[in-house]
Amino acid sequence: MKPTNRNSPSLFAIVAAMLFALMALAVSAQQSTPPPSPHADVLSIGGSVTEIVAALGQQHRLKARDTTSSYPVEVTNLPDVGYMRSLSPEGVLSVDPSLILSEEGAGPPEALDVIRAADVPFVEVPDALTADGILRKIKVIGAALGVPERAEALVAEVETALAAALADAERPAHEKARVMFVLSTQGGKINASGTGTAADALIRMAGGVNAVTEYEGYKQITDEAVGLAAPDVILMMDRGGDHGAADDKLFEMPSIKLTPAAGTRSVIRMDGLLMLGFGPRTAEAVRRLNDALYAKGT
């Protein structure tokens, strides 16, 4: 009879150890990769709307978003229903939301008519180009999400930050830089912001003067009009293509070449959503633009 090795582990002990190890690995995996939130039910349309949802601590409620919603960066992992101004009812309703929060200006109108007719609560968030407007947006979204107390706390925080940024940006009229916001340079033509736009509002909040005031909205303007605007600084979004021509190409354009901005090669590029979103980060946008306009800290 073969002697038994008392120091050798039994088959039962080996199996038990293996099961224990597998259980430990499973627990570890669950801890490092939390399951999707069972409360994800909201479709957010509009970059600033999505930012406010996240700032209210309700990011876990987001089920889908539109293309303009790019902050916080984690939301870009959510299903994308398309650009907010060219939505399709099929794309929006395919994500099966329980609540739609939409920034004012979404469309087209006929698509919104179909979406509104569906049995889904639809809340339109008013556009904003002022500090008070931003605070109103926060309250509307907080009420829609059922977190009015959190909204009031965020309102107080944002209101304080905005008041401080606006106060710091104030300058005498004769010291203010003339700023032209260039939306695109498609086809060698300048599409610039007039009055009544987010770009116009931010320029003024940051202590600058909009160099283009002859019209409202965004419009392609002539080379002569650019020369008459005589901007000290060109402001653009920090992306390539027609929306962000490189410095050398920009300052060689005939319409820009003879402006004061070209003489000093003064161009400021900022994140589009930060600059034009008018949401919880607008105080940061005001400070960044003001610092860039007047070279603070350099």
Side-chain angles (χ1 to χ4, degrees):
M1 183 174 179
K2 190 175 181 178
T4 302
N5 187 347
R6 296 182 180 275
N7 294 324
S8 299
S10 68
L11 179 61
F12 176 80
I14 293 173
V15 171
M18 291 175 64
L19 287 174
F20 180 79
L22 289 172
M23 290 174 62
L25 285 171
V27 171
S28 175
Q30 289 178 351
Q31 289 175 343
S32 60
T33 310
S37 170
H39 305 295
D41 61 345
V42 177
L43 166 58
S44 179
I45 300 172
S48 69
V49 172
T50 303
E51 282 198 39
I52 292 171
V53 172
L56 289 169
Q58 301 299 296
Q59 186 172 327
H60 63 285
R61 300 264 308 267
L62 291 173
K63 190 172 190 178
R65 49 107 193 181
D66 78 309
T67 302
T68 71
S69 298
S70 57
Y71 184 90
V73 68
E74 292 80 11
V75 303
T76 58
N77 295 319
L78 296 171
D80 183 349
V81 300
Y83 178 53
M84 65 172 287
R85 301 193 194 281
S86 57
L87 299 170
S88 73
E90 297 81 7
V92 168
L93 299 176
S94 69
V95 298
D96 193 26
S98 298
L99 170 65
I100 299 173
L101 295 174
S102 175
E103 191 170 299
E104 184 180 4
E110 55 271 22
L112 290 190
D113 289 342
V114 176
I115 294 168
R116 288 177 185 275
D119 191 22
V120 180
F122 185 101
V123 177
E124 186 174 68
V125 181
D127 199 5
L129 295 178
T130 64
D132 287 342
I134 295 170
L135 304 183
R136 184 170 65 252
K137 287 166 74 171
I138 294 171
K139 291 179 181 179
V140 169
I141 294 170
L145 293 173
V147 289
E149 298 85 2
R150 292 191 181 192
E152 288 300 330
L154 182 60
V155 161
E157 178 184 330
V158 171
E159 185 174 26
T160 299
L162 281 168
L166 293 173
D168 289 346
E170 288 183 358
R171 303 183 73 82
H174 69 279
E175 293 183 4
K176 293 186 176 183
R178 292 177 60 80
V179 183
M180 182 169 70
F181 175 77
V182 175
L183 179 63
S184 74
T185 57
Q186 186 174 16
K189 296 294 184 180
I190 297 294
N191 188 314
S193 167
T195 60
T197 68
D200 171 68
L202 184 67
I203 287 168
R204 290 184 284 105
M205 292 171 87
V209 172
N210 187 355
V212 182
T213 58
E214 289 72 29
Y215 58 87
E216 291 188 2
Y218 298 97
K219 181 180 176 182
Q220 193 175 90
I221 60 177
T222 65
D223 293 359
E224 181 184 12
V226 174
L228 291 173
D232 300 309
V233 179
I234 304 297
L235 177 62
M236 304 181 77
M237 290 185 281
D238 64 350
R239 54 183 181 174
D242 292 330
H243 292 279
D247 289 6
D248 288 342
K249 182 178 178 181
L250 176 69
F251 292 125
E252 282 302 314
M253 294 180 67
S255 56
I256 300 288
K257 197 170 185 177
L258 299 179
T259 63
T264 57
R265 294 181 65 85
S266 297
V267 58
I268 298 169
R269 303 176 191 272
M270 292 178 61
D271 175 77
L273 182 55
L274 172 66
M275 179 168 47
L276 306 177
F278 275 70
R281 297 186 295 156
T282 296
E284 177 187 345
V286 169
R287 289 193 181 279
R288 283 196 188 184
L289 180 53
N290 181 263
D291 288 351
L293 286 174
Y294 304 109
K296 292 182 178 179
T298 61

